[in-house]
Amino acid sequence: MSDRRRRMSLSIFRPPLAPLTPITDEPPEPASATLKKRRQTSNGQSDSPAPSPTGASIERSNSKHSLDRLMSMKRATRPSSLFGSLRSLSSLQDENGEFAHTASSPSSVNSVSSAIPDVAAGMLIHHGPLPEVGPMFRRRCPYLVLTDSHLIQFKSQERASEMFPSLPRLAGQSVPGPSGQARATSIRHSRLSSISSVHESQSSLEGLHSIPLLHVVAVHKLDDGEPYFSIEVAYFNDDTNHASTMTLQIHDPRESDSWLMAIRSTARRARSTYSVPFSQSLVEYIARALEQEQDYEPNHFHMFKVVQRANKSGKRSSSDDLTKLTSKICILAIGMYKVHLVPLPKTTRTSSSTSLSDLNGTSHGIVTLASVKVQNFDDSFQLWFRRPFQPPSALHLAALCVNEVVVWLRQAAEFLRPEWTEQPLAWIVPQILNDELLPIPVEEEENRAFDRTLTAYCAAYGINTSTIRYKVNYSCEDAPAFELLPITGAGRLKYNALELLAILRALRYNESFGTIRLSQTALDPLHGLCDDYGWDHTPWTTRSGETVEIENQQKASVLIQEVRALAVKSKRLRRLDFSDCLARRPSSAGSTPVLGCGICEALFPLCTKQYTNVDWIILNGILLSEVDIDYIYAAAISKASHFRAIEVSNCGLADRSFQAILQALSHQGSTLECLNFSSNFARLEPLNMREYLDELSYIRKIDFSNTYRTSGPEPLLAIETLASWKLEELDLSRSSINAETLQAVAEYLRNPQSQVLRHLRMNQCGLTGGNVADLLQAMAHLPFRDLHLYINENYLEKEHDRLIQAISQSLTPLYMTMEMLEYKEEKNFRLLVEAWTHNTSTRYLNISKVSLPFEAGKETIAALEKMLGDNQTLESLNIAGEEAHLEVANFGSGISKALNGLQRNKSLKLLHVEHQNLGMPGANALASILEENDTLLQLHCGANGFTLQAFTVIVRSLAKNRTLVHLTKMDKDRMAAIKKVDREIDNVRETGGRSLTMPTKATVSTMKRSIGSAIPGQLPFSSRGSPQTPKKQYTDRELAEMMDTIADNWERETVVMQDYLARNRYLAQKRLRAMKIEQPMTACAVESPTEGSPRTSLYEIDDATPIGEPNRQLAIRNKAEYDEAADSGDDGFEEALMMSKKLALE
């Protein structure tokens, strides 16, 4: 397979909320699948019926008046204690730890008022007096009663005993008479900080305030200090949208704990008997809020009523100070990637003295969750979120459904990081929550949900994911390889620190990739940058749980920590490529940086202590300091490191550094596979090098290109050393090659050990035609040798006849690259072309950018035409030219005639003919070739000065071609054509004025020729009257419309071309299926030998489609119908094309 690209886009957050997905009160997962034991739900749903509470029930009369009701109540015997309970608190303690399961998606939105029993009909659970409040001569003692349905606060115990006769009475308290009359009591404000949302069945004249337990949101302690131990009860009425709190001030801490436990347990039990749904308006309000944040996904949406607790501000010693404690009821919503604290709708009324004001909603990324702490004694819990380089942000919350909130939040975090075996957060919760963790939903995604994790980090860090591009290469060593591509976006040259962190942390723990390539990606924003606000992402352990014992980890820079995390958290990762990722400069000329690059400090200690499986490290293009050299040396001399390669090309190595690294790498002789010291300042000393090179028994790749060597007759690589290796790649380009080195290479080519050699690069080595002929003759003992020989920029014209003879005798390998050859005599190049005409051993040939003294003559053009028509061995040919600022290399106008030879060719599958200035004659020639040739698969012909008319001719020829699967989009030609027309229009404006009434003859003639070639169907200049008296005077508006027409026509022809190519790709895949070759339905491609292995199949799959900007692909929904249309001959192909367009529109 070929490279797979992905570009992230926040558009994957799901489509807009229209219509809104209904939210049900059914549990998100079946009880047997999600929870290990039954649990209650704080919104009313229960997995099992709640046990019946113990205690005497109070009979209630049918009278509608409170006095009649009080008279009809029966008395019951009560304990003598004034602060007691009708039910043992030990039984409540068992329920206090039960798991409260909150259904966050209720289906019913009907009113629950009818399900709430009357205040006096409840069963007594707990009761007792509260501390006295009020002025000295008007002090009163409120009385609190807890039933199984309400929490009621009376002005006095007398009032409470009137409603509940079973309660103990104060001495001297009168008993209600038969008439039901009771002594009058004036109404005064109670000492409670907040009392609101009084149940409608009770009148304030009765001297009580009640809270239905079904409305309770949270019960928690207030940190108010002595002399009070206060409890806050927050409640919310969904029917009336009333949100309020009640504060209970208690002197005794034991009594405070008793009330806290009783209210929490009874409220949970009350909710277990009846489901309390969210109102439909509230659900839509929250869902719309998440949709605005692009975070709404019905399958990943949970909402809970919570209380945002007041922040601690020291101890308080008076009830007046309690008014400064502000608690706010909000909705905690867990979306796809974020946690949202959403204020209640503005229509919500508040009636609390604690000033429940509207909040500004806040959002935090789920992957930034750093700590979760749940209290054992009340409903309070804390969430800490921390973005990189910022202090933690805390949410102090409380909720009756606290267990449910943190369990769903933990599941959301694990869902976004499914590969992370250890979540980077502090999990401080009761043990019961660890036993009740929900399983992670399974969703099939490629690369082990890498896109999901990357998107989560981008959402948390506020990053536009459309700027991040990457591809996955499946055809390289240690595949699959993750390759980060350059950033996209106007004015963006490199990724910033947060973008880099998002990418690196998404790669952490991912076991999909054997290679991670960050080459050409600037990591400078992370170099030397420290995060002093937390160590939550410091890799303290390996993936297997082994402690990473490295000093001062917490003081290391972010770059060091992230690179270490990549290495220790993945067992599959074997190769890391950091080529040219740090733009470091020496402090002075000839010196090296004082500080290390950070990468060496991060990786090599891990390799020494065997904390990682990474054994191929590429540092090419990074200027290494003495500190870095010390890290490399210390790791390389340890055989426990098991290095396969340490590539240090262009790292500024001097003689001493080169000698130290080579000496250390000699200790890795049993595992080392690659040596890359190219483009360094060090001088190679063959005699000293041989001592260390002989220790390397399993070397496969040698790169000594662009290096210097000491003078002397010794070969750079002795034949004895070469003969002991089975090299696959040898690169000596741009190095000083003496005759002894060339002879050693030729002898190695004759040696059977060289049969596995696949790439031999000797570019710009001063080779002559005779030297190349010697190399070809040395490998002639293996016919059709599977080798790619690069001999670019050499003086082949010297001893040219020997080279021509070797090529004519088919001594060449399968792949030859001879770029940028300079011929002083055109005759010699014609002889080279004639030699390739008779060659039968080479399948890939690159003779691009050839420089001739003049344009190719008729004889040379005839030789090219003969080679293109008669050579039936070549499958890939590159005869492209070159256009530079100071030099142009092409064959001239005659190349169009030479291309006609392709009409007879039956072997060529790939042709490069860019930068040859083909123009309209070349377009006509290519159109004729495409109509006749049925073997060509790819045609690269851009940058040839094609006008829109020429491009249209080529595109229309595809109607009869059924094999071509790739054709250049002609983007450069389009830009050049539009610029040319625009330039001519500007000239006309300058010479003829804005109305274009008096243009010159030459200007109008030039403009008309440009427009006529740009817009198909325009008459030639000679058919449109005299240029001195033009029939049409163009206005600015008409000229603008003309430019738009040209651009639209280019786009239309491009779409038509893509449709034809999509048809051919489909037919190619169909032929492959008929041959029982399994290939997915996508674009076909040929990999260039200069970029990878030329032996890649010509039908190699190319699904490089970035996220957020997908390539246009043919949408085939009814394949059977398409097959039938495609099989019905010429008309069937047209029918299939029309069907593909129709399906694409759908």
Side-chain angles (χ1 to χ4, degrees):
M1 297 179 68
S2 69
D3 299 340
R4 177 169 301 170
R5 299 172 186 251
R6 292 288 181 271
R7 179 182 298 173
M8 304 300 303
S9 174
L10 287 177
S11 61
I12 68 175
F13 280 137
R14 307 296 185 275
L17 180 67
L20 184 67
T21 303
I23 300 181
T24 65
D25 64 342
E26 297 180 0
E29 299 286 344
S32 60
T34 59
L35 302 179
K36 297 180 180 179
K37 59 196 245 182
R38 295 180 178 178
R39 65 183 84 119
Q40 298 175 352
T41 63
S42 60
N43 71 343
Q45 182 171 343
S46 175
D47 295 326
S48 62
S52 301
T54 61
S57 60
I58 305 298
E59 295 183 4
R60 180 172 179 264
S61 69
N62 295 327
S63 174
K64 298 181 180 179
H65 301 284
S66 60
L67 294 179
D68 295 339
R69 183 170 62 252
L70 291 173
M71 293 297 298
S72 63
M73 291 181 179
K74 296 182 179 181
R75 300 180 182 272
T77 304
R78 288 288 161 223
S80 60
S81 172
L82 294 179
F83 192 84
S85 174
L86 295 177
R87 185 178 180 188
S88 173
L89 291 181
S90 61
S91 62
L92 298 177
Q93 186 175 4
D94 296 337
E95 294 180 355
N96 191 35
E98 292 184 5
F99 190 89
H101 178 80
T102 301
S104 58
S105 305
S107 60
S108 173
V109 294
N110 299 324
S111 174
V112 299
S113 298
S114 59
I116 300 177
D118 201 356
V119 176
M123 182 189 312
L124 285 176
I125 301 297
H126 208 58
H127 59 87
L130 295 175
E132 294 182 355
V133 295
M136 180 178 300
F137 298 104
R138 302 178 60 185
R139 301 185 71 84
R140 59 188 181 276
C141 183
Y143 201 83
L144 194 64
V145 175
L146 174 65
T147 70
D148 61 349
S149 61
H150 287 78
L151 178 63
I152 315 163
Q153 185 263 333
F154 295 89
K155 295 181 63 175
S156 64
Q157 185 176 352
E158 179 184 359
R159 286 290 186 178
S161 62
E162 289 176 358
M163 178 170 288
F164 298 99
S166 59
L167 293 177
R169 296 180 178 274
L170 295 175
Q173 180 178 350
S174 62
V175 180
S179 62
Q181 299 294 327
R183 62 183 180 89
T185 304
S186 60
I187 303 300
R188 296 185 179 90
H189 291 289
S190 75
R191 57 159 307 178
L192 297 178
S193 297
S194 173
I195 298 177
S196 64
S197 189
V198 180
H199 196 267
E200 288 76 1
S201 64
Q202 300 298 324
S203 171
S204 61
L205 296 177
E206 297 180 63
L208 61 85
H209 296 283
S210 66
I211 302 175
L213 296 183
L214 290 179
H215 294 169
V216 174
V217 177
V219 183
H220 62 97
K221 289 186 176 182
L222 282 181
D223 185 18
D224 57 338
E226 296 179 356
Y228 299 107
F229 300 89
S230 300
I231 299 174
E232 184 177 79
V233 180
Y235 52 99
F236 175 71
N237 190 334
D238 294 85
D239 297 333
T240 61
N241 278 339
H242 282 195
S244 188
T245 60
M246 171 186 284
T247 303
L248 310 178
Q249 301 176 26
I250 303 174
H251 285 298
D252 191 344
R254 291 175 296 179
E255 294 179 0
S256 176
D257 293 341
S258 298
W259 273 109
L260 180 66
M261 181 175 59
I263 297 173
R264 288 184 67 207
S265 300
T266 308
R268 292 188 179 188
R269 188 168 61 252
R271 283 177 168 266
S272 68
T273 60
Y274 185 82
S275 176
V276 180
F278 290 106
S279 64
Q280 183 65 29
S281 60
L282 183 59
V283 171
E284 292 184 357
Y285 167 74
I286 300 300
R288 298 294 179 185
L290 266 65
E291 191 180 37
Q292 291 297 323
E293 294 288 328
Q294 297 181 328
D295 197 33
Y296 177 74
E297 161 57 42
N299 296 329
H300 299 276
F301 173 62
H302 307 281
M303 54 185 291
F304 310 90
K305 286 176 283 191
V306 299
V307 175
Q308 187 175 15
R309 297 185 291 118
N311 294 330
K312 299 180 180 180
S313 58
K315 293 187 177 182
R316 299 170 176 84
S317 57
S318 68
S319 60
D320 294 337
D321 291 334
L322 289 175
T323 60
K324 301 178 183 179
L325 289 173
T326 303
S327 296
K328 306 169 185 179
I329 297 179
C330 311
I331 299 297
L332 181 72
I334 303 177
M336 183 69 184
Y337 301 106
K338 296 181 180 180
V339 177
H340 309 266
L341 197 61
V342 186
L344 295 174
K346 292 183 179 181
T347 56
T348 300
R349 294 174 294 171
T350 62
S351 56
S352 171
S353 61
T354 54
S355 301
L356 286 175
S357 59
D358 292 338
L359 297 172
N360 293 325
T362 59
S363 299
H364 300 274
I366 295 176
V367 293
T368 63
L369 183 64
S371 177
V372 177
K373 184 177 182 180
V374 177
Q375 303 294 346
N376 283 314
F377 50 82
D378 63 0
D379 293 335
S380 62
F381 63 102
Q382 296 84 38
L383 303 178
W384 280 271
F385 298 89
R386 196 182 76 84
R387 292 182 60 177
F389 317 114
Q390 295 181 8
S393 176
L395 293 180
H396 299 277
L397 306 174
L400 204 63
C401 55
V402 53
N403 293 351
E404 186 76 1
V405 172
V406 297
V407 166
W408 279 113
L409 193 57
R410 176 64 180 263
Q411 187 204 52
E414 292 180 347
F415 174 76
L416 296 178
R417 291 181 293 218
E419 290 294 300
W420 288 52
T421 58
E422 181 182 0
Q423 295 293 327
L425 59 90
W427 183 250
I428 308 172
V429 300
Q431 182 59 38
I432 187 174
L433 291 182
N434 292 323
D435 298 334
E436 300 294 346
L437 294 180
L438 301 175
I440 304 176
V442 178
E443 293 186 8
E444 292 296 331
E445 292 186 27
E446 59 183 355
N447 301 325
R448 302 200 179 201
F450 171 76
D451 286 353
R452 183 199 310 171
T453 306
L454 178 58
T455 306
Y457 274 106
C458 289
Y461 296 166
I463 298 170
N464 182 5
T465 54
S466 63
T467 61
I468 298 177
R469 298 189 308 137
Y470 72 92
K471 66 179 180 180
V472 179
N473 189 350
Y474 293 89
S475 59
C476 61
E477 292 184 2
D478 297 325
F482 172 89
E483 300 180 5
L484 186 60
L485 302 178
I487 192 172
T488 61
R492 298 293 304 275
L493 298 178
K494 60 183 181 181
Y495 295 100
N496 59 36
L498 289 180
E499 290 168 337
L500 291 173
L501 285 180
I503 297 169
L504 294 175
R505 290 176 179 177
L507 288 170
R508 191 185 297 193
Y509 283 98
N510 195 294
E511 292 286 292
S512 299
F513 308 117
T515 299
I516 294 179
R517 289 200 179 107
L518 303 176
S519 56
Q520 308 296 326
T521 300
L523 299 180
D524 301 87
L526 300 180
H527 183 253
L529 184 63
C530 296
D531 190 352
D532 299 326
Y533 295 101
W535 306 329
D536 46 308
H537 281 82
T538 302
W540 302 106
T541 61
T542 65
R543 187 181 182 92
S544 58
E546 183 181 0
T547 302
V548 177
E549 297 179 356
I550 296 180
E551 296 181 357
N552 299 325
Q553 273 215 84
Q554 66 275 14
K555 297 182 180 180
S557 68
V558 175
L559 176 62
I560 295 175
Q561 292 184 359
E562 294 301 324
V563 172
R564 279 179 182 168
L566 287 180
V568 302
K569 297 299 184 180
S570 175
K571 294 183 178 180
R572 184 176 182 179
L573 186 63
R574 300 291 304 279
R575 185 183 307 224
L576 284 172
D577 187 352
F578 297 98
S579 301
D580 301 304
C581 67
L582 289 174
R584 310 178 71 221
R585 295 291 181 265
S587 57
S588 60
S591 63
T592 58
V594 177
L595 298 178
C597 66
I599 299 175
C600 296
E601 180 181 353
L603 289 177
F604 290 108
L606 300 178
C607 299
T608 304
K609 298 184 178 182
Q610 296 182 322
Y611 289 143
T612 179
N613 290 331
V614 175
D615 53 12
W616 196 304
I617 301 174
I618 303 176
L619 303 173
N620 301 334
I622 301 177
L623 198 59
L624 300 180
S625 66
E626 293 295 332
V627 176
D628 299 319
I629 302 300
D630 291 341
Y631 278 115
I632 296 175
Y633 183 85
I637 62 175
S638 173
K639 293 186 178 181
S641 300
H642 300 294
F643 285 120
R644 291 188 297 152
I646 300 178
E647 300 189 35
V648 287
S649 172
N650 191 24
C651 291
L653 300 182
D655 294 346
R656 179 175 175 274
S657 301
F658 168 76
Q659 191 78 6
I661 294 178
L662 183 60
Q663 178 185 357
L665 289 177
S666 64
H667 293 81
Q668 307 292 322
S670 59
T671 58
L672 198 69
E673 299 178 10
C674 174
L675 276 180
N676 186 354
F677 288 99
S678 62
S679 303
N680 282 295
F681 303 125
R683 293 176 298 174
L684 307 184
E685 299 182 8
L687 295 180
N688 293 337
M689 285 173 48
R690 182 174 179 180
E691 176 184 356
Y692 304 120
L693 294 180
D694 288 342
E695 300 293 332
L696 308 178
S697 304
Y698 299 96
I699 203 75
R700 296 189 298 115
K701 300 179 181 180
I702 294 280
D703 189 350
F704 286 157
S705 62
N706 196 21
T707 56
Y708 305 94
R709 54 155 294 166
T710 57
S711 59
E714 300 86 5
L716 181 61
L717 296 172
I719 181 58
E720 294 81 9
T721 303
L722 286 173
S724 64
W725 294 338
K726 291 186 178 181
L727 292 179
E728 297 178 6
E729 296 183 17
L730 177 60
D731 193 347
L732 301 176
S733 301
R734 296 178 297 279
S735 297
S736 178
I737 301 296
N738 56 14
E740 289 77 12
T741 301
L742 186 62
Q743 182 179 359
V745 173
E747 289 295 330
Y748 179 66
L749 291 175
R750 295 187 181 93
N751 194 299
Q753 290 282 89
S754 68
Q755 293 182 6
V756 296
L757 186 64
R758 294 294 175 261
H759 295 272
L760 177 58
R761 295 180 175 88
M762 303 188 73
N763 303 320
Q764 203 175 348
C765 289
L767 302 182
T768 65
N771 298 144
V772 175
D774 292 337
L775 296 177
L776 296 179
Q777 291 175 357
M779 65 181 71
H781 66 285
L782 293 176
F784 304 103
R785 184 154 186 167
D786 190 4
L787 172 68
H788 195 155
L789 178 62
Y790 301 81
I791 51 174
N792 306 331
E793 301 180 80
N794 283 298
Y795 305 108
L796 302 185
E797 204 169 10
K798 185 178 181 180
E799 298 182 343
H800 194 258
D801 53 341
R802 293 185 57 194
L803 174 63
I804 296 302
Q805 183 179 5
I807 295 175
S808 301
Q809 295 177 354
S810 301
L811 303 181
T812 55
L814 290 179
Y815 311 96
M816 284 282 293
T817 296
M818 309 169 66
E819 289 184 359
M820 303 183 70
L821 300 181
E822 184 175 357
Y823 279 91
K824 297 180 180 180
E825 297 184 15
E826 181 183 343
K827 177 186 65 174
N828 292 329
F829 176 71
R830 183 172 67 252
L831 293 175
L832 177 68
V833 171
E834 292 174 353
W836 283 115
T837 304
H838 301 92
N839 184 277
T840 58
S841 60
T842 298
R843 298 178 183 175
Y844 172 91
L845 177 62
N846 183 350
I847 53 174
S848 61
K849 305 176 185 179
V850 174
S851 177
L852 300 178
F854 306 101
E855 288 189 359
K858 294 182 179 180
E859 296 180 354
T860 302
I861 295 300
L864 279 171
E865 181 180 5
K866 182 176 177 61
M867 182 190 75
L868 294 176
D870 295 350
N871 188 308
Q872 302 299 323
T873 304
L874 285 175
E875 297 181 0
S876 177
L877 176 63
N878 190 340
I879 54 174
E882 182 183 23
E883 292 185 9
H885 293 289
L886 301 178
E887 184 178 0
V888 175
N890 58 55
F891 294 134
S893 58
I895 186 63
S896 300
K897 181 179 179 182
L899 293 176
N900 292 325
L902 291 173
Q903 297 182 11
R904 309 191 306 272
N905 192 287
K906 300 300 180 183
S907 63
L908 198 64
K909 295 180 174 61
L910 186 151
L911 175 64
H912 284 270
V913 66
E914 300 98 331
H915 297 289
Q916 287 292 352
N917 196 22
L918 295 178
M920 193 64 199
N924 291 328
L926 291 176
S928 301
I929 293 169
L930 293 176
E931 291 178 354
E932 298 294 334
N933 189 290
D934 59 356
T935 59
L936 195 64
L937 298 178
Q938 291 197 37
L939 177 60
H940 301 263
C941 57
N944 272 296
F946 288 141
T947 62
L948 177 58
Q949 184 178 3
F951 181 46
T952 303
V953 170
I954 296 175
V955 171
R956 300 308 178 190
S957 67
L958 293 176
K960 296 183 179 180
N961 185 289
R962 301 157 188 149
T963 56
L964 194 74
V965 295
H966 176 83
L967 179 63
T968 308
K969 292 183 179 180
M970 317 291 183
D971 290 335
K972 293 183 179 179
D973 299 86
R974 179 199 305 205
M975 294 176 60
I978 293 178
K979 286 182 178 180
K980 182 178 180 181
V981 176
D982 189 55
R983 185 168 56 252
E984 297 301 335
I985 291 176
D986 290 340
N987 292 337
V988 171
R989 285 173 174 169
E990 293 175 359
T991 57
R994 298 191 60 83
S995 61
L996 306 179
T997 55
M998 294 294 296
T1000 62
K1001 176 178 179 180
T1003 301
V1004 173
S1005 175
T1006 304
M1007 186 185 72
K1008 285 194 171 185
R1009 281 197 300 268
S1010 300
I1011 296 175
S1013 61
I1015 304 178
Q1018 293 286 334
L1019 295 175
F1021 173 74
S1022 59
S1023 306
R1024 292 195 235 167
S1026 173
Q1028 298 174 344
T1029 57
K1031 296 181 180 180
K1032 178 66 176 177
Q1033 295 179 352
Y1034 298 102
T1035 64
D1036 288 351
R1037 180 177 180 181
E1038 290 174 333
L1039 292 174
E1041 293 177 351
M1042 188 182 304
M1043 295 296 296
D1044 293 340
T1045 301
I1046 294 174
D1048 293 342
N1049 288 341
W1050 270 101
E1051 184 63 28
R1052 184 181 66 250
E1053 293 301 323
T1054 302
V1055 171
V1056 173
M1057 180 189 72
Q1058 294 293 346
D1059 288 335
Y1060 281 125
L1061 296 178
R1063 176 203 64 184
N1064 291 352
R1065 283 194 292 268
Y1066 173 73
L1067 296 176
Q1069 295 295 337
K1070 186 178 179 181
R1071 288 191 292 269
L1072 288 175
R1073 289 195 300 270
M1075 298 169 59
K1076 297 183 179 181
I1077 299 179
E1078 296 182 0
Q1079 294 284 357
M1081 288 186 56
T1082 109
C1084 301
V1086 178
E1087 186 178 359
S1088 173
T1090 59
E1091 300 175 355
S1093 173
R1095 291 166 294 280
T1096 305
S1097 170
L1098 291 171
Y1099 288 101
E1100 183 181 2
I1101 304 307
D1102 181 14
D1103 54 355
T1105 305
I1107 293 180
E1109 191 178 345
N1111 296 334
R1112 295 185 71 257
Q1113 294 188 4
L1114 184 61
I1116 301 175
R1117 301 180 183 175
N1118 192 337
K1119 296 181 181 179
E1121 185 179 356
Y1122 196 108
D1123 292 343
E1124 182 179 357
D1127 288 337
S1128 56
D1130 294 342
D1131 296 335
F1133 283 111
E1134 300 303 324
E1135 184 180 349
L1137 177 60
M1138 296 302 296
M1139 188 181 303
S1140 69
K1141 293 180 179 180
K1142 179 180 178 182
L1143 293 174
L1145 291 176
E1146 294 177 356

